[in-house]
């Protein structure tokens, strides 16, 4: 075995933290309703941001997709899976823009990411609901699309408010991780 004890710690504990956050996001999606939490109060965006910062790897973009696929298999949420899964994939790819942020700029990037991710998810998935339900749930024209977006506003509000709190909080937590590593002489992994 090679490397100092400090470098060995950095090899496993960041990915372990990401796995724990992803698992928490899956569990939250499964029990949220039973706990009385409002729909679309989610941890996926925060876990995605944390994964991107902690792993510093372009492969962190798969975290939201993995969380969603695993929890949807259990939940049986397949009606608009193409739209929800692709929305989370784009959120994951978007998180890569913040991968190299440092200091308090990271918290601001987290807030911006939370807002952008919420708006994108809302726009894309409500479009999907309208597209798949044209003539059934909503009229086929623009008025039906608008009705779909209006009906989704309460879900957007919850997701947006949750992400405005949770993602910057997670971003601040990653600053603490960086500070702890620096104080113990550990060097963070380079981005892949």
């Amino acid at each position: 075995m090679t490397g100092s004890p400090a470098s060995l710690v950095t090899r496993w504990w960041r990915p372990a933290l990401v796995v724990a956050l992803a698992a928490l996001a899956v569990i939250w999606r499964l029990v949220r309703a039973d706990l009385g939490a409002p729909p679309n109060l989610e941890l996926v965006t925060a876990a995605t941001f944390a994964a991107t910062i902690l792993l510093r790897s372009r492969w962190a973009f798969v975290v939201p997709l993995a969380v969603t696929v695993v929890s949807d298999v259990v939940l049986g949420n397949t009606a608009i899976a193409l739209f929800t899964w692709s929305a989370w994939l784009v959120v994951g790819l978007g998180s890569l823009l913040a991968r190299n942020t440092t200091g308090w700029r990271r918290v601001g990037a987290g807030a911006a990411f939370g807002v952008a991710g919420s708006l994108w998810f809302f726009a894309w998935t409500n479009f999907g609901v309208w597209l798949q339900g044209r003539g059934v749930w909503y009229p086929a024209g623009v008025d039906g699309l608008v009705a779909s977006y209006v009906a989704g506003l309460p879900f957007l509000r919850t997701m947006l408010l949750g992400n405005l709190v949770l993602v910057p909080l997670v971003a601040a937590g990653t600053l603490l991780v960086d500070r702890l590593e620096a104080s113990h002489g550990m060097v963070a992994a380079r981005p892949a």
Side-chain angles (χ1 to χ4, degrees):
M1 196 176 332
T2 62
S4 69
S7 67
L8 292 176
V9 169
T10 58
R11 288 185 188 152
W12 72 267
W13 90 282
R14 280 178 177 246
L17 188 53
V18 168
V19 168
L21 288 170
L24 181 63
V26 168
I27 292 166
W28 177 253
R29 285 194 84 215
L30 299 176
V31 302
R32 179 203 48 76
D34 294 338
L35 297 175
N40 277 28
L41 179 60
E42 50 84 19
L43 303 178
V44 181
T45 307
T48 301
F49 191 84
T52 299
I53 299 299
L54 292 172
L55 297 178
R56 294 189 177 120
S57 167
R58 66 179 151 265
W59 292 103
F61 81 90
V62 301
V63 167
L65 188 58
V67 166
T68 306
V69 169
V70 167
S71 55
D72 278 357
V73 165
V74 175
L75 292 170
N77 184 12
T78 59
I80 62 166
L82 173 66
F83 288 91
T84 56
W85 293 4
S86 60
W88 285 120
L89 183 61
V90 170
V91 168
L93 290 168
S95 72
L96 298 177
L97 296 172
R99 182 170 51 161
N100 295 317
T101 57
T102 58
W104 290 105
R105 297 178 106 195
R106 185 180 296 165
V107 176
F113 176 69
V115 169
S118 298
L119 293 174
W120 160 251
F121 188 85
F122 167 77
W124 184 242
T125 58
N126 278 284
F127 172 77
V129 167
W130 168 78
L131 185 66
Q132 291 183 335
R134 286 175 301 173
V136 178
W137 300 318
Y138 298 103
V142 173
D143 55 334
L145 179 59
V146 170
S148 175
Y149 284 125
V150 169
L153 286 174
F155 300 100
L156 171 63
R157 181 185 63 229
T158 302
M159 186 178 208
L160 190 58
L161 291 174
N163 283 337
L164 276 171
V165 172
L166 295 172
V167 182
L169 187 63
V170 164
T174 64
L175 292 175
L176 180 61
V177 168
D178 289 347
R179 181 169 283 179
L180 287 170
E181 284 181 346
S183 71
H184 288 88
M186 295 181 224
V187 178
R190 295 257 188 251

